[in-house]
Structures are given as C-alpha cells and as structure tokens.
Amino acid sequence: MFVTQLQSFFWVARLGSITLAARHLGLSQPTVTTQIRALEAHYGVELFQRQGGRLNLSGEGLQLLPQVEQLLLQTVELESALRHAGDGSQGGLLRIGATAPYYVLDIVQRFTLQFPRVQLSICSGNSQQMVQALSAYQVDLATSSTPESDPRLLRLELGQDPLALVVHRSHRLAGHTQVEVAELAAETLILREPGSVTRRLTEQLLADAGVAPTRVLEIASREGIREAVIRAMGVSAFARHEATAHPELVVLPFAGPVPHLPEYLYCLQSRSQAPLIAAFLAASQVKTYQKT
C-alpha cells in the first residue's frame, strides 16, 4: 500500500493533475485522491497545497519528490529482475516497444519458437516515445530509428532502408518507375507527427531539393497514413520496408540520393544480461537485415 500511495503522489506531482495521474495509473480519481490523503494523514505532512481546486507541490512535497522517484525506479528494477530471473523455460513476460512491426516481428517469431512459454507484449510509438519508455522501465527492449548516444543504452542495428513514395494506384505518378522530389510540390503530403524520424528525413529530403508541398496533412501513425493514401487523400514517404503491399497502393523509389531510415534495437546496458533480454538480443542477431 505504501508503494502505491507513493506512486499516486509521484504521478500527480509529475503530471500536475489527479485526472491525468489516475489515467496513467489505471485507477479512478477518487482512489488516487484517497491514497495521497492517507499518505499525508499517516505521516502528518502536507504534500500538496490545495488552492481553488488546483494542486501545487508543497515545500515538503518538492523536497521528497526526487527521493520518491529513485525509490519507484528501484522498485521497477527489482520487479524486472525477478521477472527475468529465470531462463524462460518456465515462462515470464517480455515487454517490447516498437516504432514499426516489420523488423521486430521477425525477431519475435524466432524468439517465441525458442521460448514458447514466455508471454510478449508489444506497444508502439515513435522513436522518441519508445526510448523514453525504455528509460522509464515501461518496456524491456525498444526499437528506434534514432542513433542514441546515451551510455546507459546498448544498441544493435537491425537494418537501413531508403525513403520511398507511396501513392494511390490511380495517382498521376503511379505509372512512373521512379519519382523526382520536385514532383511533390504539387501534392498533398501526409506526414507523421513531430518526433518521428520518418518525418524529419522527409522534411530533410524536401529542404535539400528546395520543395514545399501544396498542402501538408499530419497523421500520427503509419496505419492512419496508409489508410489515407488508400483513400487518395495524398501521398506519403515511407521507409521502403514499411510500405507493405496493397492492391490500391504503388511504391515508387525517389530518383537520386535519398535519406536512409535506420532501425536500432535498444535495451539498458545494466539489464542486457537478464536471461530473457539476452535471449531476445541473441535472436535479433541471427540474421542481418538490409533492405534496398
């Protein structure tokens, strides 16, 4: 109970809202409120100052916050160490954060054949979100297109892919064998959200060619962009291996040199020898990925 009370205190302090903290923790707002009040009552301390319906950290709460954060991280590390203590033969859980399924699912397939009793969960997001989830111990391994230099992280390269243009089969460019970047000036270009490496490289490609598309539509997922292109709402640049086959879509290489999108697999250095994590890292190196 003490740890759950501290979790409620930490996330309300971090997010500045009982509503957001409750959503993050998967609890009701009254439960979070009750836990914080119980903590304050038991120790006779005021952690938040309540003014006009707003919560502000008190001096005592501000002083305690870094210590609570360290304690919660240690709790997560301990839970993770216990969960990965076995060799996988008796089960376990491995949590993976993926920017896209295309590389990681091959590894998952090999891993599950070797460790059929281990449960796997896969969450998705952009590169920035996945590395943050890894650092916060929300996932055990993560893929990202960003070459992180944090010494706490172990990085393996899974492959690299050139950007390619995806258009509807009825589009004026669909019959071309390749496309000039300048052609995008007349198009509605569908981009990922800020923080996406695919978006950054697409914008780099356009800037290098001095091209500004007629209109930009932002959609925060590959699946959403793919569906928009299927509906002929615009065109989009994908890493070549992410442009999966569909009868309504045509994938076109760009003429000339284009940025390549790398894909890396990360884990925390301090956890790289945990049996399940080490086994997944080994499965990722069975095959070298290089798409052209």
Side-chain angles (χ1 to χ4, degrees), residues 131-208:
V131 171
Q132 288 174 348
L134 182 64
S135 299
Y137 293 85
Q138 295 170 343
V139 297
D140 303 309
L141 300 111
T143 64
S144 168
S145 297
T146 303
E148 301 288 341
S149 58
D150 189 332
R152 297 174 301 166
L153 301 178
L154 173 68
R155 183 179 79 198
L156 298 176
E157 184 175 303
L158 300 179
Q160 293 199 22
D161 294 275
L163 285 182
L165 188 69
V166 181
V167 304
H168 190 269
R169 64 182 178 86
S170 66
H171 193 276
R172 64 184 182 86
L173 297 173
H176 293 208
T177 56
Q178 60 181 12
V179 61
E180 298 285 345
V181 179
E183 295 278 5
L184 299 184
E187 299 297 330
T188 295
L189 183 63
I190 309 174
L191 294 175
R192 288 285 303 275
E193 75 287 356
S196 160
V197 175
T198 303
R199 174 170 180 157
R200 176 172 57 80
L201 293 181
T202 301
E203 291 175 336
Q204 174 190 322
L205 181 68
L206 294 169
D208 289 346

Side-chain angles (χ1 to χ4, degrees), residues 93-161:
L93 171 65
L94 197 62
R95 303 164 304 169
I96 300 165
T99 54
Y102 311 102
Y103 283 120
V104 77
L105 287 182
D106 283 342
I107 306 171
V108 167
Q109 186 176 36
R110 290 194 296 274
F111 181 86
T112 53
L113 288 174
Q114 187 177 2
F115 301 100
R117 295 192 178 188
V118 175
Q119 298 181 42
L120 288 101
S121 68
I122 302 176
C123 65
S124 62
N126 64 38
S127 292
Q128 184 179 33
Q129 292 166 340
M130 292 300 92
V131 171
Q132 288 174 348
L134 182 64
S135 299
Y137 293 85
Q138 295 170 343
V139 297
D140 303 309
L141 300 111
T143 64
S144 168
S145 297
T146 303
E148 301 288 341
S149 58
D150 189 332
R152 297 174 301 166
L153 301 178
L154 173 68
R155 183 179 79 198
L156 298 176
E157 184 175 303
L158 300 179
Q160 293 199 22
D161 294 275

